[in-house]
Structure formats: structure tokens, C-alpha cells
Amino acid sequence: VSADECEDQQTQQANNNANNETEQQSKQTQSPIQNVAQPPVQQQPPPQQLQQNNGNQQQPVIQQQPVVVVEKEQQNNNEWVSPSTEKSQWTSKECADWLGHLGAVYKQYTQPFVDNGIDGQFFAELDDEILAEIVPSKLHRKKILSAWDKLQK
């Protein structure tokens, strides 16, 4: 065998080895499992949520969410409606309602007015000194007496 032939055989064997390595690497990178599109899996409701319908057909039971009824808070309407009688004829409850409409801070005095029987006739006779027994704030007393005086009969 000549040197040229020997060299040709070595080159050919080197090429064959390189080709074999490339084929092996190619086979290693390819997954033996081919990606096949699977049909989507349909989820079934749990057995306790199925009911029989017309024999053997099972239909899912629709569970309703509980309904929560939230009551609307009644709006505190500050609109006060004057009784149809003269203010001197008002009951202690009517006077207390009027007092409460003056503002939120005056609502604290409505029950003491009722408890002490301060009606329209008695209210007309109130002065700052007597009102001080129920209403400790001088400014509140002044506003109450001023608003009472401004009221129409």
C-alpha cells in the first residue's frame, strides 16, 4: 500500500468518523417522543354535583351563590317639617324634633327635652339660666334660644 493510498484511507476514515459523530449528536438532540397534538381534556364536575336526567344522562347541578341582601341605611334627612299648630302648642316630642334638626350636636339634647317635658308653652318661657340645666354649652343655648325666637308662630 502506497503512502498516498494510506493517506486516502485515513482521510476517508476520519470523514466517516466525523459523519458518525454528527449523526449521533443529531439523534441525541431529537426527542424520542414526538409532539403530537392532544385533544383538550374536558373536566367533569365532581360526582356529588351530578344529577340524573332522563335515565342515564348526567347533568351538572348549578350551585347558586347565596344572595346577600344589604339593607340601605335610612338617610338622616335633616329636613324638618314644622307641625301645623302654633309653636306654643307643640308637644315635647315636637320641640325635641325641632331641636334635633338644628344639627348633629343638638341631637344630644332631644331626649332631655322629652324627659323634662319641655313643650312649646314651656319653651317660650325658657331663658339662658333655666336652659343651662339641660344644655351646658353657652353657645348651644344661645343658638337654641335664637332659633326659637326666629321661628314663625
Side-chain angles (χ1 to χ4, degrees):
V1 179
S2 70
D4 287 337
E5 288 179 354
C6 190
E7 192 177 311
D8 285 341
Q9 285 178 352
Q10 286 176 347
T11 303
Q12 189 176 5
Q13 191 168 357
N15 285 341
N16 286 342
N17 287 343
N19 285 340
N20 286 341
E21 285 178 18
T22 304
E23 285 178 18
Q24 286 179 354
Q25 286 176 355
S26 176
K27 287 180 183 177
Q28 288 176 355
T29 58
Q30 288 181 352
S31 172
I33 301 173
Q34 294 180 358
N35 289 337
V36 177
Q38 298 287 332
V41 177
Q42 293 182 348
Q43 293 183 350
Q44 295 292 325
Q48 69 270 15
Q49 292 182 341
L50 297 175
Q51 71 181 16
Q52 296 294 331
N53 186 14
N54 295 334
N56 294 333
Q57 291 181 341
Q58 292 184 339
Q59 295 290 327
V61 176
I62 298 172
Q63 293 184 353
Q64 294 180 347
Q65 294 293 328
V67 176
V68 179
V69 177
V70 178
E71 292 182 30
K72 286 185 176 181
E73 289 184 19
Q74 290 183 349
Q75 293 181 348
N76 186 4
N77 196 349
N78 281 339
E79 290 183 34
W80 173 75
V81 178
S82 175
S84 58
T85 58
E86 290 185 28
K87 67 180 184 180
S88 63
Q89 301 297 315
W90 291 358
T91 65
S92 59
K93 175 72 170 110
E94 290 169 327
C95 289
D97 289 344
W98 169 82
L99 181 63
H101 107 279
L102 293 179
V105 297
Y106 297 94
K107 290 186 188 295
Q108 62 184 314
Y109 307 123
T110 58
Q111 192 58 49
F113 262 62
V114 173
D115 293 344
N116 288 290
I118 300 176
D119 58 10
Q121 187 176 4
F122 186 49
F123 205 128
E125 298 171 11
L126 283 180
D127 61 11
D128 186 66
E129 185 179 331
I130 297 170
L131 192 55
E133 293 180 27
I134 298 173
V135 181
S137 169
K138 185 169 180 95
L139 289 174
H140 289 180
R141 291 193 305 269
K142 181 151 180 77
K143 179 166 181 177
I144 292 169
L145 291 172
S146 174
W148 181 259
D149 289 339
K150 289 179 184 177
L151 260 176
Q152 297 294 325
K153 291 186 179 184

